[in-house]
Amino acid sequence: MASDGGNSSLQLPCVFSPKSRQYLALCAQDGRLRIWNTDSKTLHQEYVPSAHLSATCNCITWGPCRTVKEGPQRKKRKSEAVQVEEKADLLAMGTAAGTVLIYSTAKGALHCTLDGGHSGGVNCVQWHPEDSLLYSGSDDTNIVEWDLQTGKMRSKWKADRAAVTSLCVSPDGKLLLSAGQIIKMWDLETKEVYRKFTGHSTAVTTLRFATTRPPDSNALYFLSGAAHDRLLSVWQVREDGKDKNSVVSFTLTDEPQHVDLVASNSKEEAVRLAVVCKDGQLHLFEHFLNGPCKKPFSPSCTVQMSDTKDSPAPVPLLAAALGADTSTLLLAYGKHLQPVMEKVEINTAERQVCLTRDVQTSLALSMETTVSKVKTPVVNTKSRVLVPGLPGHQAPVKASQGSEKRKKDTDAKEMSIAERLGEIDLSTVSTEKGALKGNASLQTDNFAVLLVQGLESNDANILNKVFQTRKDMVIKKTVARVPLAAVLPLVQELTKRLQGHPLTAVLMVRWLKAVLMHHTSYLASLPDLVTELGVLYHMIESRVKMFHKLTKLHGKLYLLMTQVATSDSSNSVTDVDHTAKLVYEEESSDEDEASGDEDLPEEDSDNWEEEEDGMKEDADEEDPDRTESKANGEEEMEHGNESEEE
């Protein structure tokens, strides 16, 4: 019996349906469940959970095949042989919110939701092979047994100290394997531990029963794989309980991501394994389980895929299913959002097989065959289609803010980027406070939008228009409104422009300062920050070194210029011409002339006083007695003048 494909809780789930392998269920990065038909290689169904973004899907498991009623059918005659076909219908999805979603492919809708059992994210779900029971393991270290007929929890028990990362039910439905870091085997009737197995240092992500024999025959084997572990370990459940260590191990190139096996029903039948690793390679094993083996087994065949380009790149394998024949495989490869399914025949005698495929061509073929639900109308050449927002359509469109500047009689239509740039006037400054605030906010909004558009389209005209602003407030608000995804491209653009002309660098420094003020915490969280800002750092460092030398040169030049200026000013003072341009004399008495002579030195008082002081000193040196008599004579003249005035 071929079991359904395994998946790790750390990987994106990707599982083939059991038995016929008709469907491939995937849950990609966007949280949507997509079911692909492997026969027609087309998308069969797509389901979007209500909380697909917040509560992502961690694991997917197909339920056992069952008979499905598909609508009303006509009554069959007795002569017609009644053939009831069992199909894969129900699909269980464990979410990060702690709920289990049951999806029905027959109905194409959600069958039921199992919630209230877990307080942490669900890492693994497993179906009971016969009864309508489901088991789920969670981060809250508990295992919950669900009854699908009632849609309620049947029992719950603590499984481990750590989170339960993997589950597997035995083919007879009596035993349950659970694993965190320790593998435990539970008796499902009593919910008690039957065996414990230790040997993995990391969380176990894969558990599979390799044989269908009863545990008391010393012939029950199961295999396990763990995260960051390049080995698949095989464990033997012994009757005497001496089963502490693994008996066989298979070597891999990376941790197992998807495991498919054909179990062994007897000692004479080998176990066939197909293991897809995290690195996208497929390893095939075939081994007879009959006791311990010390040496690890290498794969009998390794399959890789590459594209058909000149320099071929590897194409990752997502899942693989073993066919009835040993050389037949069903592969899923490419991307989770658009996988390619293909049945291949592989020569297992070769140790290394490399398949080359043109993924784009096969994708185009599968896309052409898909049936689209969107119907395109048949339009005649004479008919005219009116679309909102285009000229000729009379539907009223609400005008956005700042539309007062536009003409009122023009039709309401979407403004192009060129028109927006034309309407933004950077030079006009409003004097009124209210208008200033409104214009500033409008300008900032437009700048932020235009800046993001310019960075995405790498349009130099838009970026030049935005970077021309010199207002610090507009720059700060624009940088604050820029989304985080555009911060790093903005820094790279500023770095490129800083290397240009110094005049533009002065403006770019303002923008860079605003970016560092607002988005330092985001930039510090980037792992490759050193490589991203290395060019900017070295450029600033080199310019700072030059700045120190330039300041020294500026100081020396300033000293020289001041000395030259002072010497020029002293020369201009000595060359002053002291000759009078105009002399006016008035006829008067001797006294008036004398008094007039006393008033004259005020015009050039400094020179006169210096000369008088010099003459006095000379006179004092020649004859001190003469100075005394002169002073007495001056006093007598003053008395005479007073008497004359009287």
Side-chain angles (χ1 to χ4, degrees), residues 394-410:
Q394 300 300 322
V397 181
K398 289 184 180 179
S400 59
Q401 264 190 335
S403 61
E404 297 141 354
K405 295 180 183 178
R406 304 173 201 163
K407 294 180 181 179
K408 293 181 181 178
D409 37 45
T410 56

Side-chain angles (χ1 to χ4, degrees), residues 81-126:
V82 179
Q83 292 181 351
V84 179
E85 186 184 1
E86 290 187 341
K87 290 185 177 180
D89 176 27
L90 296 181
L91 191 68
M93 296 184 290
T95 66
T99 59
V100 179
L101 307 177
I102 309 297
Y103 180 81
S104 172
T105 55
K107 292 190 285 185
L110 194 67
H111 181 68
C112 65
T113 302
L114 309 175
D115 54 3
H118 292 294
S119 58
V122 177
N123 296 322
C124 46
V125 283
Q126 277 293 317

